[in-house]
Amino acid sequence: MAFPERRLRRLRRTPALRRLVAETRLGVDDLVAPLFVREGISEPQPIASLPGVVQHTRESLRKEVAELADLGVPGVILFGVPATKDEEGSGAWAPDAIVQLALADLRAEVGDALVLIADLCVDEYTTHGHCGVLTEAGEVDNDATLQIYARAALAQAEAGADIVAPSGMMDGQVAAIRAALDGAQRESTAILAYAAKYASALYGPFRDAVDVQIAGGGDRRGYQQDPANARESLAEVRADIAEGADLVMVKPALAYLDVIAATRAEVDVPVAAYHVSGEYSMIKAAAERGWIDGPAVALEHLTAVKRAGADIILTYFAKELAPVIGR
Ligand code: PBG
């Protein structure tokens, strides 16, 4: 009788055996919940393309964050939706802007029990929807934008953010923000750099969540990375760490597992991955039709992201999965 050299199935026989030999363990400690807070509304607003996610009022946000803290989720990342937008995105840096008010609320609500991360960009706050201010020719002006990012970082740190997370993909953004924070005695505010961020079609539902339309049907290919390229991710990651990033992020997650793995192999700082809005919505939509088992697919996705090397996963599934996966 032919006898296989190694019986690989032996260790798959029972749930306990599988648990014992699992290489990758997804836990609630790995998760960060993205949250939206909108100015000028009295009730939370559902987001059609992100089922189960809402634009919060300041009050409902406080409640949500207290619940997340109770579930053991260690961090949230906050995005603001202003009542009015302008050319330079003053809603990103004004001390009384919605995101700053909300950060202060949350600091008061949860103290240090939960890490408060502030997304640092201007696209939610600009009339044209780009991640920076524009030149007269309509191009995103890298260096003028850095000055605005520096102001936003200070406002967010002042309001209570533990970590600021620049997501605009301007060159030199981490250095500019680090210098501004240090210059204002904010040495303890950390920077999570969206280091390898791709010009992805998977951000569609997010743009509904923050009411962003890019002027003239434009896109972000002039500053976010081309999905065809992996090697420049490492250049981005190295540059951000050299400029002072405390953590680095790859975004989106599932279509860029190779980039997550390469980043993990390259650096010693914590690596985050953003399982983005489109990744969430695809699972929700297919599950709604009964075509897939939504929570099972979500777990499989997030496990794969962790297996690829991410230490931290930003995911709209955080609240739903926290009770399922445990510590
Ligand atoms: C920029 C930003 C975006 C996302 C996070 N930060 C949108 C973009 O770059 O166009 C997308 C997140 C998601 O799709 O869930 N402020």
Side-chain angles (χ1 to χ4, degrees):
M1 185 179 89
F3 198 72
E5 232 166 71
R6 204 174 146 209
R7 295 243 160 178
L8 290 166
R9 287 183 52 187
R10 260 182 215 132
L11 299 181
R12 299 177 194 151
R13 195 171 47 83
T14 68
L17 275 166
R18 293 194 290 273
R19 197 148 51 85
L20 185 71
V21 301
E23 293 170 32
T24 306
R25 295 168 203 278
L26 188 68
V28 66
D29 286 337
D30 304 323
L31 307 183
V32 169
L35 297 171
F36 302 98
V37 61
R38 180 167 165 188
E39 185 178 17
I41 53 171
S42 50
E43 290 297 324
Q45 304 291 310
I47 303 156
S49 56
L50 275 174
V53 181
V54 301
Q55 295 174 326
H56 283 285
T57 67
R58 282 173 67 182
E59 206 38 56
S60 71
L61 183 75
R62 286 178 83 124
K63 233 183 104 222
E64 178 77 2
V65 168
E67 284 171 27
L68 286 164
D70 284 346
L71 287 167
V73 174
V76 297
I77 181 164
L78 196 58
F79 299 88
V81 189
T84 55
K85 306 188 186 220
D86 56 36
E87 288 284 299
E88 53 167 11
S90 62
W93 49 262
D96 60 351
I98 184 68
V99 75
Q100 269 70 260
L101 299 177
L103 283 166
D105 288 345
L106 298 186
R107 182 54 71 216
E109 178 77 31
V110 296
D112 283 336
L114 201 132
V115 178
L116 298 181
I117 308 175
D119 181 80
L120 198 168
C121 197
V122 293
D123 61 318
E124 297 94 344
Y125 309 100
T126 51
T127 41
H128 45 73
H130 275 293
C131 292
V133 288
L134 303 185
T135 62
E136 293 204 346
E139 300 218 326
V140 176
D141 184 334
N142 195 87
D143 295 3
T145 300
L146 295 185
Q147 294 177 27
I148 293 184
Y149 286 2
R151 286 165 84 171
L154 288 182
Q156 293 174 340
E158 184 77 27
D162 297 296
I163 301 179
V164 298
S167 61
M169 292 300 279
M170 296 301 120
D171 287 331
Q173 62 187 12
V174 175
I177 290 166
R178 189 69 267 159
L181 290 169
D182 291 351
Q185 281 75 55
R186 293 278 176 197
E187 292 89 353
S188 58
T189 304
I191 300 176
L192 163 60
Y194 286 70
K197 176 169 175 179
Y198 283 87
S200 173
L202 290 161
Y203 307 148
F206 172 91
R207 296 197 185 142
D208 293 340
V210 292
D211 297 334
V212 167
Q213 273 138 29
I214 305 178
D219 58 48
R220 305 203 195 293
R221 291 173 194 273
Y223 41 102
Q224 297 179 348
Q225 287 178 247
D226 184 340
N229 296 346
R231 289 193 292 262
E232 68 183 33
S233 287
L234 291 183
E236 288 281 0
V237 165
R238 284 188 206 112
D240 283 354
I241 291 175
E243 289 177 29
D246 301 285
L247 318 90
V248 292
M249 181 158 32
V250 175
K251 175 182 173 202
L254 213 66
Y256 300 89
L257 294 180
D258 56 332
V259 176
I260 295 172
T263 300
R264 174 69 292 161
E266 171 80 13
V267 306
D268 293 325
V269 300
V271 174
Y274 200 145
H275 189 253
V276 299
S277 58
E279 299 181 88
Y280 173 87
S281 296
M282 289 193 292
I283 296 175
K284 286 285 172 185
E288 232 168 70
R289 294 187 159 202
W291 289 355
I292 61 171
D293 174 343
V297 174
L299 272 178
E300 189 173 329
H301 274 197
L302 300 188
T303 301
V305 172
K306 183 132 191 233
R307 194 187 65 228
D311 305 294
I312 299 167
I313 307 174
L314 286 70
T315 171
Y316 301 95
F317 283 111
K319 192 175 184 190
E320 185 179 331
L321 291 186
V324 183
I325 59 182
R327 273 242 139 86

